[in-house]
Amino acid sequence: MGSPKAARSKAGQGGIWRRRISAPFVVVLVAAVLVLVAFTGQFVQGPDASSRFTPVHVEDSIPRRVPTDQGLETSDSSRQEGEGSDQKAEPDESPDEAIREQQQPPEETTEYSGKESALQVQEDEEGIVKEAGSAPYTKCTLPSSTTVCDLSNLRFDICELCGDARTIGQSSTVMYVPHTQTSDGEEWSIRAQSRKNLPWIKKVTVKSLNTSQPAPRCTSKHAMPAIVFALGGLTANIWHDFSDVLVPLFLTAREFNGDVQFLITNNQPWFTKKYSTILSNLTRHAIIDFDLDNQVRCYPHVIVGLRSHGDLGIYPNRSPQNYTMMDFRLFVRQAYGLAAPEVGIPYRADRDDPDKKPRVMLIDRGKTRRFVNAAYVVQGLEWFGFEVVKVDQNKTDSSSLDEFAQLVDSCDAIMGAHGAGLTNMVFLRSGGVVVHVVPHGVEFMADAFYGAPARDMGLRHVNYSISPEESTLLEKYGWNHTVIKDPEAVRSSGGLEKVGEVYMSEQDIVLNMTRFGPILLKAIDFIM
């Protein structure tokens, strides 16, 4: 048998001969590469280069690539050539500077990053970076007139610019360059959210240029549409987050299947962080802070404002795509990776478990309309056969929404006093039950705010209006006070402001579980 030492010696001799023979070929290969570099000036990236980009500051000129070993997935749509570009124009930048820019570590940014598709760009005759290989935009048709804004709706204003639209973020302006040569030029100023009557929502100016007005020069050209909208308003309350922004944004943006860019004025970083899962499923492009954007961005289609049908509602007959609140709930559940639509509520899905109990989430408000006897309520629910998951209202506002969505999905029902916490019903499975405890004096708004939306989303809704004896207002005002005897008179004289001051802010609940029992039995029937 040969020794390991002899084997290593023979291998070494063979290596010497191989090196002698291959050396001339290496010299020739190196010379060829040097000639190639001398003629091209840079190494060209192949088609398999990473297509992920971090969000870019408005001052940056080249998006930075994120290494592909960070666990990021590339969607099929992001592999399609020329789709979804938002490359910025800096025609004077050299290739070497661009390479060095890509090698820099990413900076902190307040923009939220959507999923970016691969960028393939070319310079036009003016040196403006634009998308290469993009098909003509066909998702809107040129208007017959230059009137691009509709201010007739009582809830919202909307402007839709099709053809040549240019956004100038730092002046909160969107300009429309009409295709017709007979335009006289018009101007609108709208609150770009779904509640146009709130005076503190930031306005965006929309201008239709006339033939004598020069159009601002594009510094960035895009093939996808864009939506300009405002945050602020009544957001920071989860009901208003959904009713005023997320549902209207779904209604306005969903038809584009993610190939749309959001430009947000009065941006609220907490909002884009909290709802990043929903936003990233509505757009795969970087979200632009409109107020800080120093670019003149040119799009083939821009919508300014958000469409809205009603409080936490979508009416299919008003939607060209026939969207429904059921569609919205299923979209949200899919975004958070919850059980598929055909999977039943947890109690039904586990019928083989003889010890399985229907599970109810009890939302206890922290400040007003709270259950004074919460411990007694939990005992009563358990007596009726429920497994109780008690959560504090503050947790629904501050905890990770991804984790909280999973918790709601594990329940068959959600129960709480009339208030924002019940909005979490969007995470229930089809057939889930909303147990709605209605405080004294707010019965008139209960169904519109939660009952109708629950039914429209394919959920069951049972409501329980408390008696005056179950309200802490009785102890404060007494039986003979109008607040107790005639809530309708209080509303007629003081309006919604008085309702909010008294019935929404001053009232807590002492729930009578005996009186409440039949409502629970109805909920159990729905579950079983």
Side-chain angles (χ1 to χ4, degrees), residues 146 148-149 159 161 164-166 168 171-178 185-189 204-210 213:
T146 58
V148 297
C149 292
C159 300
L161 293 65
D164 185 351
R166 311 188 181 196
I168 309 171
S171 63
S172 296
T173 302
V174 180
M175 291 190 177
Y176 177 55
V177 183
E186 295 180 81
E187 181 172 326
W188 303 264
S189 183
V204 174
T205 299
V206 178
K207 294 182 179 180
S208 178
L209 300 181
N210 62 37
Q213 292 176 296

Side-chain angles (χ1 to χ4, degrees), residues 283-343:
T283 176
R284 59 174 174 265
H285 302 289
I287 293 177
I288 305 299
D289 189 328
F290 195 48
D291 302 332
L292 300 180
D293 190 19
N294 62 5
Q295 301 289 314
V296 177
R297 299 179 182 273
C298 295
Y299 298 92
H301 186 187
V302 172
I303 298 172
V304 183
L306 296 176
R307 297 185 177 93
S308 176
H309 293 166
D311 290 330
L312 202 61
I314 296 175
Y315 306 143
N317 59 343
R318 297 187 191 177
S319 170
Q321 296 76 28
N322 295 317
Y323 292 136
T324 66
M325 282 301 291
M326 171 81 84
D327 294 327
F328 176 75
R329 182 180 61 82
L330 294 179
F331 161 77
V332 169
R333 288 182 54 81
Q334 182 181 35
Y336 284 96
L338 304 180
E342 63 271 14
V343 178

Side-chain angles (χ1 to χ4, degrees), residues 348-411:
R348 296 179 194 164
D350 298 329
R351 282 178 184 253
D352 294 337
D353 183 357
D355 298 323
K356 180 73 174 179
K357 296 181 179 180
R359 198 175 199 214
V360 60
M361 173 177 284
L362 175 63
I363 297 178
D364 190 18
R365 297 177 56 84
K367 296 181 180 179
T368 64
R369 286 161 280 147
R370 62 189 180 90
F371 295 115
V372 175
N373 58 339
Y376 174 67
V377 172
V378 171
Q379 290 178 357
L381 290 170
E382 291 174 342
W383 187 89
F384 274 92
F386 283 98
E387 176 190 352
V388 183
V389 179
K390 183 175 177 293
V391 297
D392 189 278
Q393 172 72 47
N394 294 329
K395 182 179 180 180
T396 70
D397 292 334
S398 62
S399 65
S400 166
L401 201 56
D402 294 68
E403 295 176 3
F404 194 75
Q406 297 283 345
L407 184 59
V408 177
D409 176 63
S410 72
C411 296

Side-chain angles (χ1 to χ4, degrees), residues 250-316:
F250 169 86
L251 190 60
T252 308
R254 183 58 174 165
E255 64 176 295
F256 301 113
N257 294 317
D259 193 22
V260 61
Q261 187 156 52
F262 296 158
L263 291 82
I264 301 179
T265 186
N266 194 20
N267 185 35
Q268 309 289 314
W270 67 265
F271 187 98
T272 53
K273 179 180 179 181
K274 180 173 182 178
Y275 298 109
S276 61
T277 299
I278 295 176
L279 295 173
S280 66
N281 278 269
L282 286 172
T283 176
R284 59 174 174 265
H285 302 289
I287 293 177
I288 305 299
D289 189 328
F290 195 48
D291 302 332
L292 300 180
D293 190 19
N294 62 5
Q295 301 289 314
V296 177
R297 299 179 182 273
C298 295
Y299 298 92
H301 186 187
V302 172
I303 298 172
V304 183
L306 296 176
R307 297 185 177 93
S308 176
H309 293 166
D311 290 330
L312 202 61
I314 296 175
Y315 306 143

Side-chain angles (χ1 to χ4, degrees), residues 429-451:
R429 301 183 190 182
S430 297
V433 181
V434 180
V435 183
H436 183 185
V437 179
V438 183
H440 185 60
V442 300
E443 294 86 354
F444 72 95
M445 67 172 69
D447 194 70
F449 276 49
Y450 296 103

Side-chain angles (χ1 to χ4, degrees), residues 8 64 199 227 245 249 280 287 330 348 396 469 477 525:
R8 286 197 299 271
R64 302 183 181 87
I227 298 175
V245 177
L249 185 59
S280 66
I287 293 177
L330 294 179
R348 296 179 194 164
T396 70
E469 292 94 336
Y477 289 98
D525 285 343

Side-chain angles (χ1 to χ4, degrees), residues 236-243 274-275 396-397 401 420-421 423-424:
N237 170 298
I238 188 174
W239 188 88
H240 285 286
D241 294 346
F242 276 84
S243 183
K274 180 173 182 178
Y275 298 109
T396 70
D397 292 334
L401 201 56
T423 311
N424 291 289

